[in-house]
Amino acid sequence: KNQVEQSPQSLIILEGKNCTLQCNYTVSPFSNLRWYKQDTGRGPVSLTIMTFSENTKSNGRYTATLDADTKQSSLHITASQLSDSASYICVVSARLTGANNLFFGTGTRLTVIP
Amino acid sequence: KAGVTQTPRYLIKTRGQQVTLSCSPISGHRSVSWYQQTPGQGLQFLFEYFSETQRNKGNFPGRFSGRQFSNSRSEMNVSTLELGDSALYLCASSRQGNDAYEQFFGPGTRLTVL
């Protein structure tokens, strides 16, 4: 069964600290993995997209890693800011034709406090 | 370049009514996907339209339907509303499809069913 699981469900950190969010998946055959940031009341915004051959991809203070062998990904946020408070959603795409091929995690709710 | 727009942003309906939501994709994007987002279930795929044809469909009842026009604008219709249909409805557009190409989400329509 194609599934995406994220941990932790929620996280509270102090401003300036680093944190790492986890995403484990069982989606097959794998096409790509995406991390989205969703502010409250807004649509998700893409942070990174990684294919099978990519291990690491950065977008400013956000760095995503992918281990296709263990089917795990992480999103590392460096020097957190109050504006990082949001939900972070991991999405895995499968190479399937004629069917729904995107599988979503339920997200990690991050709160950055001063 | 204008982003994905959705109208209306907020909607209140009563059980049994029907509702139509609208989505205008980014200029040049031919694929529009619709998602339902609830706190407990996260993002769930409804359907995808490409060049006026439904290409993929999620596991939602027939009360949920959609269409796409020649200018790529899309509408989603929900008939005989139920309390459980209360959710944030998001649409996302991409150039060719939701697999290989990055999706851009709109701000969503918040539907409340009383």
Side-chain angles (χ1 to χ4, degrees), chain B residues 35-75:
Chain B
Y35 300 89
Q36 181 193 68
Q37 187 176 35
T38 57
Q41 300 282 344
L43 272 160
Q44 292 186 286
F45 173 74
L46 281 156
F47 28 66
E48 181 203 3
Y49 285 87
F50 184 84
S51 294
E52 302 179 65
T53 301
Q54 187 181 88
R55 188 157 68 173
N56 291 319
K57 190 178 189 302
N59 297 320
F60 277 80
R63 300 185 297 108
F64 292 82
S65 63
R67 59 178 175 168
Q68 187 179 34
F69 302 95
S70 58
N71 61 358
S72 293
R73 190 178 70 84
S74 177
E75 287 182 347

Side-chain angles (χ1 to χ4, degrees), chain A residues 1 14 17-18 30 32 41 51 71 87 89 96 101 104:
Chain A
K1 186 178 179 182
L14 289 173
K17 297 294 185 182
N18 304 334
F30 177 83
N32 59 64
T51 59
K71 298 187 177 182
S87 287
I89 302 170
L96 300 171
N101 57 3
F104 291 80

Side-chain angles (χ1 to χ4, degrees), chain A residues 5-18:
Chain A
E5 294 185 355
Q6 293 186 243
S7 62
Q9 273 191 322
S10 61
L11 186 61
I12 300 174
I13 62 172
L14 289 173
E15 186 180 12
K17 297 294 185 182
N18 304 334

Side-chain angles (χ1 to χ4, degrees), chain A residues 31-32 34 38 46 93 99 101, chain B residues 35 37 56 98-99 102 106:
Chain A
S31 178
N32 59 64
R34 316 168 190 195
Q38 184 175 22
S46 177
S93 172
N101 57 3
Chain B
Y35 300 89
Q37 187 176 35
N56 291 319
N98 61 10
D99 175 22
E102 183 176 359

Side-chain angles (χ1 to χ4, degrees), chain B residues 12 33 51 57 82 100-101:
Chain B
I12 299 175
S33 296
S51 294
K57 190 178 189 302
E82 301 177 359
Y101 292 84

Side-chain angles (χ1 to χ4, degrees), chain B residues 4-6 22-25 32-35 74 89-93 104-109:
Chain B
V4 178
T5 59
Q6 291 187 246
S22 180
C23 172
S24 293
V32 174
S33 296
W34 288 90
Y35 300 89
S74 177
Y89 289 88
L90 293 161
C91 83
S93 76
F104 295 85
F105 284 84
T109 294

Side-chain angles (χ1 to χ4, degrees), chain A residues 5-99:
Chain A
E5 294 185 355
Q6 293 186 243
S7 62
Q9 273 191 322
S10 61
L11 186 61
I12 300 174
I13 62 172
L14 289 173
E15 186 180 12
K17 297 294 185 182
N18 304 334
C19 68
T20 300
L21 314 180
Q22 298 290 341
C23 173
N24 297 337
Y25 62 93
T26 58
V27 177
S28 181
F30 177 83
S31 178
N32 59 64
L33 185 147
R34 316 168 190 195
W35 283 95
Y36 285 89
K37 176 187 178 187
Q38 184 175 22
D39 293 315
T40 301
R42 298 195 165 202
V45 174
S46 177
L47 294 174
T48 62
I49 300 177
M50 290 188 291
T51 59
F52 185 89
S53 59
E54 295 175 298
N55 299 119
T56 304
K57 185 164 275 190
S58 292
N59 178 358
R61 295 181 295 103
Y62 300 100
T63 299
T65 64
L66 174 64
D67 186 332
D69 291 330
T70 61
K71 298 187 177 182
Q72 296 180 323
S73 176
S74 65
L75 180 68
H76 186 75
I77 303 175
T78 305
S80 61
Q81 299 176 359
L82 297 179
S83 59
D84 292 331
S85 295
S87 287
Y88 292 84
I89 302 170
C90 174
V91 184
V92 182
S93 172
R95 270 188 209 290
L96 300 171
T97 55

